[in-house]
Amino acid sequence: MATITIDGQKIEARGNNVLEVALDAEIYIPHLCRHPQLEASSEVHSMREVYVGGVPHKGEPGMPFEGCGLCLVQIDGREGLHKSCHTPIEDGMVVITDSPEVKKARQERLKALLESHPHACLLCAQSDGCDRINCSSNIPEPERCCDNFGKCELQKVAQFIGTEMGLPPYKPLNFPILEDEPLLVRDYNLCIGCLRCVRVCRDVKGSDALGFVVEDGRVVVGSKAPTLRESGCQFCGFCIEVCPTGALKDTVTGVGERENFLVPCKSSCPAGTDVPRYVRYLKEGRPEEALKVIYEKLPIPETLGRVCFHPCETDCRRSQIDAPVAICALKRAAADMGGGFSPVPQDIRKTGKSVAVIGSGPAGLTAAFYLSLMGHSVTVFESLPEPGGMLRVGIPDYRLPREVLDREIRLIQ
Ligand code: SF4
Ligand code: SF4
Ligand code: SF4
Ligand code: FES
């Protein structure tokens, strides 16, 4: 393994380039276009035309993307400054990340980025206690801190680099805020042209719906066709996940756990089943794994795959694009195809405690199953001659064949 020195610290280099090695050794070098899910070597070239809100923006095609230029370092024995994300490791290399030249060059680059990006959030003395709605500094609304404040990578990078050198006045780009397509809100006034979104869409998602042009010397990102839908966007949200600013957002926001409103299938399932995980396993052709995920929360997947009223589908965000994912039918598919997997482990340690469960409907059966997995001795009391509660007496046989219900109850017994 190569050994290099960064800021006087000798390091066994784990990583392909100086930036990766420094971050692995917990030496921070500011960066914006690099992202752990994206290959540092992934190249992007400008297009002839992209669209922002249906309006074409044009530029010279085929120009390589130069990068954010913030990750500059000095390498002992080499002229000038180097982008650490593109500098391969060499044994014995000596790297300096915080010389006055490096700091000055980063500040200049940051100033250029912030010329067309609102930056009140970086300068306002009251920003920390601000409610983001009423501006006590009377900053015009488009220039105020956006609602990414506090979780914005650009803001953190700018705070690290520092703004003592002063920032240029903000020159608004006046792009419209794009809210008319499903699931995504795009505000390219906040875009810094890092192209993470373009690369994740092409290299990770495989949709290749986005591109960029260089217009008046500035990177303009947009969709390849007038709308995202026409560009082949799958509305997966990967671009939102990687965007380091507030330029890309989900249409829904909410209080509490982000997952609750971004993954409503899971939060609306009364059992809290991890729907995305088992759907993904099914997509990968792994029904047994899918069934294991379902059994984490539900002991009657064959039954519920037939009769659940699926509130998850009602809330599925895919319905904003075309139709909800057929989650209930997929549960049944997992149960039908994932055979061979036994949900009952062999080595349950008995607790010596006894639990009585009143009623053998779906709730009673579920409670009994998981209590016995915890090692308790469970007795279910049922007033009807056979177990199953409403599953047996409230649902006709053609919807829930009795042999399916009996099989799942036997497994619980
Ligand atoms: S994207 Fe970040 S830096 Fe830009 S206004 Fe929002 S919080 Fe501030
Ligand atoms: S939502 Fe997904 S498919 Fe659409 S632009 Fe973003 S990354 Fe590409
Ligand atoms: S929209 Fe976000 S991810 Fe895409 S180039 Fe702009 S800042 Fe980067
Ligand atoms: S992180 Fe290296 S050029 Fe952007």
Side-chain angles (χ1 to χ4, degrees):
M1 190 183 290
T3 303
I4 69 169
T5 304
I6 305 181
D7 296 339
Q9 193 179 322
K10 265 205 166 31
I11 291 164
E12 291 211 332
R14 275 192 300 268
N16 297 315
N17 56 54
V18 171
L19 180 62
E20 279 177 17
V21 173
L23 294 178
D24 181 68
E26 299 189 0
I27 298 171
Y28 182 68
I29 297 175
H31 54 275
L32 277 173
C33 61
R34 179 257 182 201
H35 187 276
Q37 283 180 13
L38 298 168
E39 288 289 328
S41 55
S42 130
E43 295 205 344
V44 205
H45 291 87
S46 65
M47 301 188 61
R48 189 178 300 283
E49 185 171 80
V50 293
Y51 293 83
V52 177
V55 176
H57 290 261
K58 295 178 193 289
E60 192 185 323
M63 290 166 71
F65 173 55
E66 298 292 347
C68 67
L70 291 172
C71 65
L72 296 171
V73 292
Q74 274 180 310
I75 313 279
D76 202 26
R78 296 189 197 170
E79 286 279 301
L81 302 177
H82 303 265
K83 288 178 192 160
S84 58
C85 67
H86 274 85
T87 305
I89 293 301
E90 282 175 22
D91 196 32
M93 191 178 228
V94 176
V95 179
I96 302 137
T97 74
D98 60 356
S99 68
E101 294 92 315
V102 167
K103 285 182 178 166
K104 186 161 185 297
R106 283 185 194 149
Q107 287 178 342
E108 289 306 318
R109 186 64 200 123
L110 180 67
K111 270 160 79 171
L113 283 179
L114 293 177
E115 200 165 57
S116 53
H117 184 102
H119 44 259
C121 59
L122 303 173
L123 300 175
C124 177
Q126 315 214 44
S127 59
D128 273 343
C130 176
D131 67 3
R132 321 268 151 250
I133 298 164
N134 305 302
C135 179
S136 46
S137 299
N138 286 328
I139 291 164
E141 207 163 332
E143 296 180 36
R144 286 183 199 166
C145 321
C146 77
D147 49 18
N148 213 31
F149 186 94
K151 49 185 188 296
C152 174
E153 263 186 81
L154 172 61
Q155 193 182 26
K156 287 180 189 143
V157 163
Q159 281 162 351
F160 180 86
I161 293 175
T163 52
E164 317 77 69
M165 70 295 187
L167 294 180
Y170 168 54
K171 288 191 210 138
L173 295 166
N174 296 324
F175 285 124
I177 297 176
L178 309 175
E179 299 179 283
D180 53 352
E181 298 211 51
L183 307 181
L184 301 172
V185 177
R186 292 176 292 153
D187 181 355
Y188 287 119
N189 299 296
L190 299 175
C191 173
I192 47 151
C194 69
L195 300 195
R196 285 185 186 180
C197 56
V198 175
R199 287 176 292 150
V200 81
C201 186
R202 182 192 68 183
D203 301 345
V204 179
K205 180 62 188 166
S207 296
D208 204 10
L210 305 172
F212 78 102
V213 295
V214 180
E215 191 181 58
D216 302 328
R218 189 182 180 277
V219 167
V220 175
V221 175
S223 52
K224 289 191 168 175
T227 63
L228 278 177
R229 202 186 280 271
E230 290 165 307
S231 308
C233 171
Q234 315 254 330
F235 301 97
C236 63
F238 284 15
C239 50
I240 301 173
E241 291 299 321
V242 297
C243 179
T245 72
L248 303 178
K249 285 187 301 188
D250 258 281
T251 45
V252 289
T253 51
V255 286
E257 284 294 312
R258 190 164 173 260
E259 189 184 70
N260 287 350
F261 50 87
L262 290 186
V263 193
C265 50
K266 186 174 172 188
S267 51
S268 61
C269 171
T273 319
D274 192 343
V275 176
R277 195 150 55 98
Y278 79 72
V279 169
R280 200 173 316 122
Y281 277 133
L282 278 171
K283 180 178 171 232
E284 291 167 2
R286 298 162 69 188
E288 196 172 304
E289 294 302 318
L291 192 53
K292 279 185 199 165
V293 173
I294 297 169
Y295 266 114
E296 287 170 8
K297 299 285 182 182
L298 290 175
I300 46 173
E302 282 193 76
T303 299
L304 290 178
R306 287 169 172 80
V307 302
C308 182
F309 65 99
H310 46 72
C312 51
E313 292 186 28
T314 309
D315 287 354
C316 174
R317 300 183 71 207
R318 183 82 211 174
S319 58
Q320 293 174 44
I321 302 163
D322 38 38
V325 174
I327 299 167
C328 189
L330 288 171
K331 187 188 293 104
R332 179 172 170 179
D336 289 351
M337 300 190 306
F341 156 68
S342 167
V344 185
Q346 301 299 312
D347 53 348
I348 299 176
R349 210 148 37 101
K350 295 288 177 200
T351 61
K353 294 181 181 165
S354 302
V355 184
V357 173
I358 311 296
S360 66
L365 290 173
T366 303
F369 179 76
Y370 292 108
L371 284 165
S372 54
L373 288 194
M374 290 164 80
H376 305 312
S377 168
V378 182
T379 307
V380 180
F381 292 88
E382 172 58 63
S383 60
L384 294 171
E386 288 184 286
M390 288 306 285
L391 293 173
R392 190 173 296 279
V393 297
I395 298 177
D397 189 52
Y398 69 87
R399 283 197 61 214
L400 177 58
R402 291 297 169 258
E403 63 270 22
V404 170
L405 181 61
D406 290 340
R407 184 166 53 237
E408 293 206 300
I409 292 176
R410 267 200 307 279
L411 193 67
I412 293 169
Q413 285 170 333

